Amino acid sequence: MAATTTDSPTWGKVLLAGAVDWDMIGRKPKPGDTREILPHLETFHVIRELADLKVVKAITGPTAGHCVFITDDGDVWVLGRNEKGQLGVGDTDPHPYPMKVPTIYTTVGKKTTNLKFVDAAVGRHHTILVAENGAIYGAGDNKAGQLGNANHKDHPSFVHINSMGKEKVTSAACGSDFTMVVTDKGQLFAFGSPEFGQLGNKTNGQYFQTSTRLVHVPQTSPVLVGGALKDAFVVEVACGANHTLVRDKEGLVYSWGFGGYGRLGHSKQEDLWTPMPIDQFAGSNKISKATKIAAGSSFSMALDGQSQLWLWGKWKTTGDGGGGTPWMYPRTLYDLNGWSFKDISAGNVTLFALPTLEPSTIAWGQGALHCELGYGEGEAKSSTKPDKVRPMEGLTMLSVSCGLGQTLMLCKPGQDKIQDLPKWPVLDVEEHCIECLSAEDEESMLLCDKCDSGTHLHCTVPRLQVVPDVDWFCQSCTRAREKNRTKPVGESASPSASAEVPTKTSAKRKAPAGKGMKQFL
């Protein structure tokens, strides 16, 4: 990972749009269920609990109703669905707001250290974590062996996937019920459900258990994906619901698994049990090679050497590119001609692209019912054509990740417009100084960038002389952050300052005029 600089930060503010009633994403209320469903976030909100953390990765997936966040110090936070224990926090209770995963320790010889994590991936009901030392851990559903062991039980806490042996994993991707991991040697290993040949190991694991019952044998231990990848050095892997994409260091793209609706890009709707290169990215011209890939539930995306977007499969419900006329091979979108992009992501039905030069966000997706496009309050929920996300105009994004009914983005820190973004969840804010309890001298009130509570400038600890031009957090939030910080074994707790020493004065931030409902726990 590159060193952090002002021009090129390696961390960002986490933004969320879409459904926040995680257990109800894509589901209908059960008969007799009278519980009120929480409203969707129609525009992108700063996730309040993560506002004082330096998040380097925000991860969800096209079949997942849960999310994972990795901080710059290797800690892991999670939120969302948890009925199979996929959040890895030791239970199967719902966790609608961010929660830190308990520290995972490893022992080498006589030395015990806490693990730092660098990557993660999420499936329908399981989660994979990749540690800095190359080890991988899994939590959640394991009925198809997607956690790399043969007991087929749910794991509500993260367990070491020791079946990888001495292989050092650098990244991972998850489909609905299977897992792909890339090693430092550029090799790809797969485990989990083989149903559509999505593991790439020359079989779909199908056999007749009885004369009328057809089943698929789970792949409970990692298997090396060979075939066309035998001599390739894999640098990126992406998974849809039941198909896999891989990009090698030469820029070639391979696909296999479920071939329905042309999502494999080979001009035919046939399942493939081994990797096959996609012709569009197999040429000798460097600008035609891929630099980024993404897989949605029933479609695929890639960026080429000119940062142009290519798309194939069933990426909308009706019309050209829909169920009746899917795109059988990679094609460009007329609406995006002339645009170059630095990041792309594909969700269940949503597609996002981050422009290289312009501080804006492009999104579209037919059938996006949960406001996960983030177009704004009162705006359309879905769109068949790419459009700018108007509330995000003027903001530079670092990365995007699309899910089942939600979208995550990392926003470049330090931008003034971030202060105008709403925070989730909404809080009732006390309209007085939380230190001296006085509501007077409102002009000198400084707002906490996490909880929105006000503190007089002269009541801050340590005392500030001027309004800081960096994020500032009150004593209560600072103590909470320190409590959640993972400390190396043997390190004693020490108090931390609630702000960096300011170097110049910026506009004062007043307490908000309106109040919201009490949702934050």
Side-chain angles (χ1 to χ4, degrees), residues 22-39:
W22 305 97
D23 288 337
M24 296 306 298
I25 298 176
R27 297 171 177 173
K28 296 180 180 179
K30 296 179 181 179
D33 187 357
T34 58
R35 182 177 67 86
E36 182 180 355
I37 298 176
L38 296 176

Side-chain angles (χ1 to χ4, degrees), residues 163-191:
S163 52
M164 282 298 297
K166 295 182 179 181
E167 298 288 347
K168 291 187 176 181
V169 176
T170 57
S171 63
C174 295
S176 290
D177 302 305
F178 67 99
T179 301
M180 294 280 175
V181 295
V182 179
T183 71
D184 60 348
K185 300 174 184 176
Q187 294 180 312
L188 183 71
F189 287 83
F191 44 97

